[in-house]
Amino acid sequence: PPAGEHGHVTVVRDLPDVDRTVSPLGWLPSRASTYVRRASARRAIWNRESFDLVHLHYLNRFTDAFVSLPHPLVMSVHDVVPHVSRLGSRAEHALLRRTYQRADGLVVHHEALRLRLEAEFAIDPERVHVVHHQVFAAPDVGAPPVDEPPMLLFFGALRANKGLPVLIRAMERMRGVDVRLVIASGRESDLEALSRMPRLRTRV
């Protein structure tokens, strides 16, 4: 939601955002500066306010393993291990283990993630809580017009682990089947180029 009051919830959007336009050489100093400023801004918020509970929804293993954190503290763990390692497996594992151990409770969205936290990071099962993603009822929009082809929506961060090349190969094998693929995303230039292949009927 946008910033402002939403019933019992107040949304404040004031954390520094990362610069996604920096060159590969400038990536490390740019991210390091942003991560430190983010941690400082968060600390100022919970030092200024009197919270009964702090929930970190997105973790940063580079800062959250060391910076001052409030308690009681809940952390959401979306990916037990990052898709892209920045430090090498041993150093990254040590940072993640230290980060996870600092929380009073950990929230995951799937049972498999809970089992992985326990197996790979020796997390006490009592501290891990599985809260599934919400599934909202979709309105009944009725069947699509007969004269229009079926439409498939691919959305989310456009990263290698999302399986877009697999989807495109599957569509290429559907010879003679009129299916429209809509890609609502963007991130990696090579995957964007792949999604614009002229032999596919796509809209990006």
Side-chain angles (χ1 to χ4, degrees):
E5 302 289 335
H6 301 272
H8 297 291
V9 177
T10 301
V11 177
V12 179
R13 296 187 176 274
D14 61 356
L15 294 183
D17 198 7
V18 297
D19 185 354
R20 305 185 189 280
T21 64
V22 296
S23 66
L25 291 178
W27 185 92
L28 181 59
S30 173
R31 290 299 174 98
S33 172
T34 303
Y35 293 163
V36 170
R37 288 186 293 117
R38 276 185 178 178
S40 177
R42 290 187 323 187
R43 184 172 61 251
I45 292 171
W46 59 55
N47 285 344
R48 185 174 63 246
E49 305 288 344
S50 178
F51 294 110
D52 298 307
L53 175 70
V54 172
H55 182 173
L56 293 184
H57 192 61
Y58 290 104
L59 305 181
N60 188 322
R61 59 198 181 280
F62 301 111
T63 57
D64 294 337
F66 304 104
V67 298
S68 174
L69 295 174
H71 292 278
L73 174 68
V74 174
M75 294 179 177
S76 283
V77 180
H78 300 278
D79 301 304
V80 174
V81 177
H83 298 297
V84 179
S85 175
R86 301 291 185 185
L87 300 173
S89 59
R90 181 172 297 183
E92 197 132 58
H93 186 278
L95 274 182
L96 290 169
R97 179 182 174 86
R98 178 179 171 86
T99 301
Y100 296 151
Q101 292 289 359
R102 303 189 73 194
D104 299 292
L106 298 169
V107 172
V108 295
H109 296 311
H110 195 279
E111 182 70 15
L113 300 180
R114 181 186 69 79
L115 294 175
R116 191 172 184 186
L117 273 175
E118 296 172 13
E120 296 185 24
F121 294 93
I123 303 298
D124 180 358
E126 295 296 321
R127 296 174 50 234
V128 185
H129 309 275
V130 179
V131 180
H132 297 287
H133 279 295
Q134 289 179 280
V135 178
F136 299 97
D140 185 6
V141 296
V146 177
D147 57 345
E148 292 188 9
M151 183 178 296
L152 176 64
L153 173 64
F154 178 97
F155 67 96
L158 199 57
R159 297 195 304 258
N161 65 291
K162 296 296 184 179
L164 180 60
V166 177
L167 173 60
I168 289 179
R169 287 198 301 271
M171 292 195 65
E172 289 177 328
R173 298 179 65 176
M174 298 172 63
R175 304 294 184 185
V177 179
D178 190 8
V179 179
R180 179 172 299 163
L181 171 62
V182 176
I183 301 174
S185 186
R187 176 68 67 85
E188 297 185 6
S189 57
D190 56 337
L191 291 177
E192 285 193 15
L194 179 65
S195 68
R196 298 178 187 275
M197 297 172 68
R199 63 179 180 274
L200 293 175
R201 184 175 183 178
T202 65
R203 182 169 72 241
V204 182

